[in-house]
Amino acid sequence: MKKRILATFLSIIMVVTMGLTACSDAKGESSRTEDDGKENTEGSETKMDTLEVFINMSWYPTDKFEGIIPNLIKEATGVDLNVTIATSNEQLGVMISSGELPDLIYTDSEIDRLSNSKFCYSYSELEELYGASFEDLGDEAIAIAKSYSEDGDYYTVLNATATSDDWENMKLGAVGQPTIMYRSDLMDELGNPKINTLEDFVEVLELCKTTFPDMVPFGLGGVYKSQYIKNVMGVTNNIYDGATGEYYYEASAPGYKECMQLMNEFALKGYIEAEYYANENDGDGKQYFYNGDCVFFADYLGYNDYTVIRNNVQSVNPAADVAILPWIGEGGVPMGSNAGWAGCFVSRNCSNPEAAARLLTYQLSNEGRQAGMWGREGIDYTLGDDGVPIFSEEFKEVRDNGELVEVYNYRFSFYFTAIDEIYMNLSGGNQEILDIFATYRKGYQNYPELAMARPAASTDEGVIYTKLEELKKSYEAKLIFAASETEFESTYAEYMEALEQTGLQQYNDYMTTSIVEARKLLGK
């Protein structure tokens, strides 16, 4: 019933605002084939309203509003998009300062600046003035968006969010987080020793050191380095006490020193090497693993990440194989601070706010949100009784071939939940891998108030945070690769003093206070 109401609502707005008659069927099903990526307008006189959208992400993989999902969005809304991709991180800031904003802005930064009535329409205005309807949005998503503005209104809604209830009821997969991948063929050679605890992992590193002397047991090149070990040892979960509301910057959290001591032990025993650790480039870091230079490798928990890494390892060595290490921590997986990622803004310069309202009404509805990630219901997927999409063989083949963007082009879904995305990536996947992913759901708790409380970069506390992060990057390397226990202790004392001099306590106090305010916005 809700789908028919939404379709009727959108059709009425299209007639009123465009003075045109839509000739699509009641369900808005596509008349094109699954793989043509072209719109079939035969039998339809619907004229598209075209909006200019600036995507503030220079890495974005597509600049064309084409494919199965964009065509579905066009049919439902009567809106086409002319896409411009950012060429630098500074470009949007200049556009804001000059007032030269296009119709729509899709961005993961400058959210606080754009959440201002001077530059953009609030979503409340889109509802009041242009007939938008956002009735399917949850209170938490709106509260998070309001935290970016100073007037109590909301100017976007950030995607990739999920409530605590959503996470608790998730049937498949796990939130993305650091993990460890490893050469399972080499574990076969070792007799597949058990790795159920951190102690087991340390023993296997020693076994790798003696059995494979030409390989580094644990590769830490790239981005994630010691993060999985921090998570397993509970450091990440110790930054925030949900009962007392007290916040700790990571380097001041309980258990941090013990974690650094273990990493130093890894270095002294030759399980990790400084050369690999010093490499900050993600691609170069992975290349060590591809080339067979290390047995275990710190990376990210994602089905696509795993597939890409496994394929690259096997392109170098067809006899090799890769697996994901299950969660081995005694406690729950690391807490989250997910408050969303990117959002779509409608600028005051928008040439057609009614068209923008139609587009966002559809995309922020349950129907449009799911279509934006999963495609056409009844063709690309059917919804199981548990709420998990059951994808067609064609969809899974495209996904497994890494061609989702080229064929379906889900990248123009401007609003989706974290669960929607996880289901898109995992539903119908390899069950053995899914079982490992399930171990990373253990005790997961998300606290969006942590992200909401973080200071803007230009504030005093924001400057302090930047300096704290710079100190952490420098001193963690010194701690991990200290040549002796004495050097470790002196370096640690020096680091703690540097943190205090930089404003550690001021930052912790600010976060503790700000979290209280964020929790009030969330109704906690």
Side-chain angles (χ1 to χ4, degrees), residues 53-337:
V53 59
F54 178 77
I55 296 181
N56 187 39
M57 304 157 202
S58 59
W59 54 266
Y60 220 64
T62 177
D63 62 356
K64 302 293 183 184
F65 191 53
E66 298 173 354
I68 289 174
I69 289 174
N71 286 344
L72 184 59
I73 295 171
K74 292 176 193 177
E75 285 184 2
T77 67
V79 177
D80 198 356
L81 296 176
N82 188 24
V83 183
T84 300
I85 307 295
T87 57
S88 72
N89 293 334
E90 296 75 28
Q91 191 173 356
L92 179 57
V94 173
M95 293 165 68
I96 295 172
S97 297
S98 66
E100 297 179 355
L101 292 169
D103 299 320
L104 305 176
I105 307 98
Y106 183 54
T107 180
D108 61 347
S109 64
E110 303 282 11
I111 292 170
D112 53 342
R113 290 184 69 190
L114 289 171
S115 295
N116 188 313
S117 60
K118 177 182 177 181
F119 301 116
C120 296
Y121 287 99
S122 73
Y123 278 31
S124 298
E125 286 181 286
L126 294 176
E127 288 183 301
E128 294 167 7
L129 301 177
Y130 302 108
S133 176
F134 305 128
E135 61 182 18
D136 287 336
L137 280 180
D139 292 340
E140 183 168 294
I142 294 174
I144 290 170
K146 286 182 176 180
S147 72
Y148 286 93
S149 73
E150 296 182 356
D151 60 13
D153 210 342
Y154 67 114
Y155 294 78
T156 189
V157 179
L158 301 184
N159 58 25
T161 60
T163 67
S164 295
D165 287 343
D166 292 335
W167 289 118
E168 186 175 344
N169 295 322
M170 183 170 64
K171 303 296 191 300
L172 182 74
V175 66
Q177 58 192 281
T179 188
I180 292 176
M181 299 190 192
Y182 66 93
R183 286 281 299 277
S184 55
D185 57 302
L186 298 181
M187 292 300 103
D188 288 343
E189 291 185 34
L190 296 178
N192 287 309
K194 65 181 177 65
I195 308 179
N196 298 325
T197 66
L198 184 57
E199 290 74 18
D200 291 341
F201 180 61
V202 174
E203 290 179 6
V204 173
L205 290 180
E206 177 61 31
L207 192 57
C208 291
K209 179 68 178 175
T210 57
T211 308
F212 309 115
D214 295 330
M215 300 178 73
V216 177
F218 190 11
L220 296 180
V223 175
Y224 298 98
K225 303 193 183 302
S226 61
Q227 195 59 53
Y228 179 85
I229 303 301
K230 289 178 181 176
N231 293 347
V232 165
M233 295 184 71
V235 176
T236 311
N237 281 344
N238 289 338
I239 68 170
Y240 176 59
D241 187 327
T244 67
E246 191 166 5
Y247 175 87
Y248 301 90
Y249 178 71
E250 184 183 85
S252 63
Y256 178 79
K257 182 179 181 181
E258 289 77 9
C259 179
M260 290 296 99
Q261 286 174 320
L262 179 62
M263 294 302 299
N264 178 241
E265 180 183 326
F266 284 1
L268 292 175
K269 290 184 176 180
Y271 302 161
I272 59 177
E273 290 191 2
E275 177 186 354
Y276 294 103
Y277 186 92
N279 192 309
E280 299 288 335
N281 182 277
D282 188 56
D284 291 345
K286 285 183 171 65
Q287 196 63 49
Y288 291 126
F289 192 47
Y290 299 160
N291 292 342
D293 293 332
C294 56
V295 181
F296 291 87
F297 179 71
D299 205 77
Y300 188 76
L301 184 70
Y303 195 88
N304 185 64
D305 298 79
Y306 163 74
T307 301
V308 169
I309 287 175
R310 184 172 184 262
N311 289 344
N312 276 287
V313 167
Q314 291 183 333
S315 70
V316 175
N317 180 0
D321 207 352
V322 177
I324 301 171
L325 189 68
W327 174 253
I328 59 173
E330 293 182 5
V333 297
M335 70 172 68
S337 58

Side-chain angles (χ1 to χ4, degrees), residues 260-414:
M260 290 296 99
Q261 286 174 320
L262 179 62
M263 294 302 299
N264 178 241
E265 180 183 326
F266 284 1
L268 292 175
K269 290 184 176 180
Y271 302 161
I272 59 177
E273 290 191 2
E275 177 186 354
Y276 294 103
Y277 186 92
N279 192 309
E280 299 288 335
N281 182 277
D282 188 56
D284 291 345
K286 285 183 171 65
Q287 196 63 49
Y288 291 126
F289 192 47
Y290 299 160
N291 292 342
D293 293 332
C294 56
V295 181
F296 291 87
F297 179 71
D299 205 77
Y300 188 76
L301 184 70
Y303 195 88
N304 185 64
D305 298 79
Y306 163 74
T307 301
V308 169
I309 287 175
R310 184 172 184 262
N311 289 344
N312 276 287
V313 167
Q314 291 183 333
S315 70
V316 175
N317 180 0
D321 207 352
V322 177
I324 301 171
L325 189 68
W327 174 253
I328 59 173
E330 293 182 5
V333 297
M335 70 172 68
S337 58
N338 176 29
W341 169 57
C344 185
F345 291 85
V346 181
S347 84
R348 288 288 176 186
N349 299 336
C350 184
S351 60
N352 193 336
E354 294 93 345
R358 288 202 310 275
L359 177 69
L360 292 176
T361 290
Y362 179 70
Q363 291 216 327
L364 273 62
S365 70
N366 289 338
E367 177 188 350
R369 193 194 83 225
Q370 293 176 349
M373 297 299 284
W374 304 341
R376 299 157 294 181
E377 186 171 7
I379 299 175
D380 302 311
Y381 78 96
T382 57
L383 205 58
D385 293 338
D386 58 359
V388 178
I390 302 168
F391 290 115
S392 67
E393 291 302 316
E394 290 79 6
F395 184 97
K396 290 189 290 186
E397 181 180 358
V398 169
R399 181 184 67 187
D400 294 345
N401 288 338
E403 298 174 339
L404 273 180
V405 172
E406 291 82 355
V407 178
Y408 283 87
N409 203 0
Y410 65 92
R411 287 295 187 176
F412 288 97
S413 176
F414 293 149

